[in-house]
Amino acid sequence: MFIILALLVDIFWVVLDTEEKMEQSASIAVERMDALFTGIEKKLAAIDTSNDFCTESDRQALEDIIYDSVSIKEISFIRDNKIVCSDRSRQHNVDISRELPKNYSDFTGRFTYTAKDQRRNKNALFYLIPAQDMWVRVSLHLDYIDFWVSDFGARHSMKAKVIYNGNFVAGDAEVKNCDLLNLIEVDSQKYPYTVMTGYNGHLLLKAFKDQLLYAILIIFLISALFVVGLSSLCRNRRTLESEIVQAIKNNEFVGYLQPIVCSQTQQWRGAEILLRWEHPHNGLTTPAEFITIAENSGLINDITLKLLAEAARNKAVLDKINPDHYLSLNVTASMIANPFFVRKLISIIKHSPALQHGIVLEFTERETFTDDQLAQLQTGMTKLRQHGVTWALDDFGSGYSGLSRLQQLSFEVLKIDRAFVAASSTDTITHSILDSICNLAKRFDCDVIAEGIETTEQAERVNALGIKYCQGYLFAKPMSFSKYVSKLKKAQRQPVLDLAPKELEQIIEH
C-alpha cells in the first residue's frame, strides 16, 4: 500500500510539474523570440526608404543589424518579386520568385515560411514584414534556430519546436506530435509562430524516476504524521473516555431544564432534560464536546440512567409545586430495543413513585432497524408504557421514515423539528408542511410541540396552526434545576391568561 501511494503521488506530481514546466518554458521561448523580432523591426524602422533608398549608408545599417545578431543571415527589401536593396551590394534586381510563397502578396501582415535558398541551394527560414510598397525579408540561420530551439528544450528536459500554421519551422523535427505523450502550445501574440513543448515517453519516465524518491519521502512523512495524529486522537479519545467514566462516578453529568409552555397561556407545562457536563476544569460543557465518544463507547447508557435517577429526585420537588408538571428525557431507540437496558429503566421507575406519572421519553426517527430490532423496540416501549412512561417522537420530519414510524410505533407526542419552525416564517411551503403535520397528529391522537421558537412571529404562526405547546429560547434557555424551580414558582403565581405572543417578553422578564 505504501509503494502504491508513493507511485500515485509521483504520477500526480509529474503530471502537475510537467504541465507547469511546459507552459513556463514555452512562454519563455516565445518571450525571447518576440524580443529578437521586435529588436530587428525597431532597427529596420530607423532606415529611411522614402528618398534615395539603398544608399551605401542604408546597406551599412543592414550589415550592422546582421552583425549584432547571430541569428540573422541576410536582410533584403523586395518589390515585384525582385530584391531592390540588400546588405549584399551585388544583390540588386535579383529575381527570387522561386524563393517566395506563391500567394505572399495576399498577406497584409507578417508571416514566416521555409523555402530553398536558390543561391545557396539549401533550406532557409524566412520572415517577411510589410513595408509600404515593399516587403522586408529577413533570412534567419535555420541551423542556428534549430540548434537554439532544440537546446532550449533539452535544457528544460523536454522537446521543443517552432511551428507556423501547423507546419514545422525549427527545433526537434524528428519528434512528431503523436510521439509526445504530453504537450502544450503557446502562440506569440505579436508574430506569426507558435512554440510547442512536450514530453515523449522516455522523458516522462525520466521525470517519473527523478521525482520518485521525493514522492516516497513525502508519503513517508505523511504516513508518519498520520500515525502520530491517529495515535494522538486515540490517546485523546481514551483520555476523554476515561474522563467520562470518572465523571459518571463523580456525578458531574447533570440535567439542565428547558420549559415546555402552553402556546396560548404561556404556562410552563413541563420541561425537557438537556444533558450538561459540569467539568471540574472546563466548566459547563455541552454534549457537542463529548456525546459522540459517549455514544460510541456505550457510556451514554450509564449517563442516561444517572439522568433518570436525578429526574426522580427533581420531579418529587416539582410535584409539590405543580402535580401536573412533567419531565421529558432523551433516549435512543437502540436503548429501548435493548431488553437489559429497559429492565434497568423499569427498576429505577419502580423505586421512584414520582416517575410513575408525568415522565416522557423521546427519541428521534433517524435510526434504522431490522424487523427483529423493530419488534424489540415495540416491546420495550410497551413495557415502559405499562409503568407510566409517555412516548414522544423527537425532530419529527427531519428523517425519512416519519409516517412509517408513526404507523409502526405508538407515540403520544410529536415534536416538530426546529428547521421547519425556522423556515415557516419565510417559506409558504414549509408553513403548509407544518399544517399537514398538525393534521397528521390529530389523526394519530398526538399532542404537538414546536421546538426552536425564537421569535414572536414564529410563536404567532405556531399558535395560529393550533399547536398546543412550544419550546425555545423565546421563552427560556436551558437552566439549572435550582433556577428552574425558582422560575416555576413565579410562573405558578402568574394568572392563567389567553395571551398574544407579543406579550411573551413581559411574562419572561417577570
Side-chain angles (χ1 to χ4, degrees):
M1 179 60 74
F2 181 85
I3 297 299
I4 292 174
L5 284 175
L7 292 174
L8 290 175
V9 168
D10 194 16
I11 292 172
F12 183 69
W13 189 349
V14 167
V15 169
L16 292 181
D17 189 49
T18 54
E19 286 282 348
E20 182 181 359
K21 284 183 177 178
M22 283 190 300
E23 184 168 2
Q24 187 179 40
S25 299
S27 298
I28 292 173
V30 167
E31 182 181 339
R32 292 180 181 176
M33 292 182 69
D34 278 358
L36 169 65
F37 291 130
T38 300
I40 294 172
E41 291 193 7
K42 282 183 178 180
K43 293 176 180 178
L44 288 172
I47 299 175
D48 185 6
T49 60
S50 58
N51 298 314
D52 194 22
F53 176 53
C54 206
T55 62
E56 185 65 29
S57 62
D58 291 334
R59 285 194 295 270
Q60 184 62 47
L62 294 178
E63 288 183 8
D64 290 341
I65 295 174
I66 295 172
Y67 181 79
D68 291 339
S69 176
V70 295
S71 59
I72 302 175
K73 183 164 55 176
E74 180 185 332
I75 300 176
S76 304
F77 284 81
I78 301 169
R79 183 189 292 124
D80 298 330
N81 298 338
K82 294 181 179 180
I83 296 176
V84 297
C85 187
S86 172
D87 61 286
R88 316 290 172 93
S89 60
R90 288 175 295 177
Q91 292 186 3
H92 187 70
N93 287 327
V94 177
D95 191 329
I96 56 170
S97 301
R98 286 183 296 173
E99 295 180 13
L100 296 172
K102 293 180 180 180
N103 61 340
Y104 82 96
S105 58
D106 296 334
F107 285 85
T108 59
R110 313 174 182 94
F111 68 95
T112 306
Y113 70 99
T114 55
K116 179 162 292 206
D117 187 333
Q118 63 193 42
R119 293 175 305 287
R120 298 174 180 81
N121 197 30
K122 61 186 297 187
N123 284 336
L125 176 62
F126 298 104
Y127 170 54
L128 282 179
I129 309 167
Q132 297 180 359
D133 62 339
M134 296 181 291
W135 289 87
V136 180
R137 187 181 72 163
V138 180
S139 177
L140 301 171
H141 283 288
L142 186 57
D143 291 340
Y144 174 80
I145 300 296
D146 272 337
F147 171 78
W148 184 85
V149 174
S150 299
D151 182 66
F152 179 86
R155 281 186 283 112
H156 290 80
S157 303
M158 65 185 70
K159 297 294 183 180
K161 55 184 168 181
V162 178
I163 57 176
Y164 173 62
N165 281 342
N167 298 316
F168 172 81
V169 175
D172 291 305
E174 75 280 2
V175 180
K176 299 178 182 178
N177 292 353
C178 57
D179 296 328
L180 299 178
L181 301 178
N182 202 7
L183 62 89
I184 194 169
E185 296 180 0
V186 175
D187 297 325
S188 170
Q189 300 301 310
K190 295 177 63 178
Y191 300 101
Y193 70 91
T194 298
V195 172
M196 175 189 292
T197 55
Y199 289 82
N200 57 17
H202 173 73
L203 290 175
L204 279 177
L205 183 59
K206 182 179 182 301
F208 180 81
K209 290 179 178 178
D210 291 342
Q211 304 291 1
L212 183 58
L213 178 60
Y214 296 106
I216 292 174
L217 289 175
I218 288 174
I219 290 299
F220 177 78
L221 289 174
I222 292 175
S223 300
L225 290 173
F226 177 77
V227 170
V228 171
L230 185 62
S231 175
S232 176
L233 182 64
C234 290
R235 283 198 304 272
N236 290 340
R237 177 188 173 88
R238 287 193 297 269
T239 301
L240 183 56
E241 191 172 320
S242 62
E243 281 190 60
I244 292 174
V245 171
Q246 191 62 41
I248 294 172
K249 294 179 181 178
N250 296 340
N251 294 318
E252 294 172 9
F253 290 106
V254 297
Y256 268 47
L257 304 184
Q258 185 177 35
I260 298 170
V261 306
C262 176
S263 298
Q264 291 186 337
T265 65
Q266 281 69 59
Q267 270 197 318
W268 291 14
R269 303 304 302 271
E272 180 179 357
I273 301 171
L274 299 171
L275 177 62
R276 296 292 185 268
W277 182 0
E278 292 182 338
H279 196 282
H281 304 296
N282 300 333
L284 193 65
T285 306
T286 62
E289 304 293 328
F290 61 85
I291 194 67
T292 301
I293 292 180
E295 288 179 343
N296 292 340
S297 63
L299 292 172
I300 190 64
N301 290 6
D302 294 332
I303 294 172
T304 301
L305 293 175
K306 285 279 188 178
L307 286 181
L308 185 62
E310 180 188 64
R313 296 188 295 271
N314 292 343
K315 192 167 185 307
V317 175
L318 296 174
D319 282 347
K320 296 178 181 178
I321 303 171
N322 183 354
D324 296 326
H325 190 281
Y326 72 90
L327 290 178
S328 182
L329 177 65
N330 286 280
V331 295
T332 63
S334 55
M335 290 178 184
I336 309 306
N338 182 344
F340 178 74
F341 187 79
V342 170
R343 285 196 294 271
K344 286 190 172 184
L345 291 176
I346 292 175
S347 176
I348 294 174
I349 293 172
K350 280 184 176 180
H351 290 87
S352 308
L355 293 181
Q356 294 170 15
H357 66 91
I359 187 71
V360 177
L361 296 182
E362 56 182 79
F363 59 84
T364 69
E365 55 173 306
R366 292 189 176 93
E367 292 185 77
T368 57
F369 296 93
T370 63
D371 291 340
D372 291 342
Q373 291 171 328
L374 186 61
Q376 290 178 331
L377 176 59
Q378 290 170 325
T379 301
M381 291 177 67
T382 299
K383 289 182 177 180
L384 286 163
R385 184 177 280 113
Q386 291 170 352
H387 289 83
V389 171
T390 299
W391 288 101
L393 182 58
D394 194 15
D395 295 338
F396 182 73
S398 62
Y400 62 87
S401 57
L403 183 57
S404 63
R405 281 287 181 266
L406 281 177
Q407 292 172 333
Q408 294 167 336
L409 306 170
S410 178
F411 294 94
E412 287 80 22
V413 180
L414 291 184
K415 300 188 76 173
I416 300 175
D417 185 70
R418 64 181 61 247
F420 286 105
V421 175
S424 65
S425 300
T426 55
D427 189 352
T428 55
I429 295 177
T430 304
H431 188 72
S432 176
I433 293 174
L434 284 179
D435 190 35
S436 299
I437 292 175
C438 292
N439 292 330
L440 191 65
K442 290 178 183 177
R443 173 183 164 190
F444 286 94
D445 194 25
C446 296
D447 287 329
V448 179
I449 299 174
E451 295 184 294
I453 303 296
E454 297 182 355
T455 66
T456 55
E457 183 182 4
Q458 292 172 351
E460 287 172 353
R461 285 183 176 271
V462 164
N463 192 23
L465 287 170
I467 297 176
K468 290 183 179 181
Y469 304 106
C470 296
Q471 180 181 351
Y473 280 13
L474 177 63
F475 308 103
K477 295 181 179 180
M479 63 192 80
S480 65
F481 177 69
S482 59
K483 189 172 182 179
Y484 185 87
V485 169
S486 176
K487 284 186 172 289
L488 179 63
K489 288 179 179 178
K490 290 181 180 180
Q492 288 299 115
R493 293 195 293 269
Q494 293 284 344
V496 179
L497 300 173
D498 188 2
L499 298 174
K502 64 183 179 180
E503 299 173 276
L504 291 175
E505 288 87 349
Q506 297 177 356
I507 294 178
I508 296 169
E509 289 174 358
H510 291 84

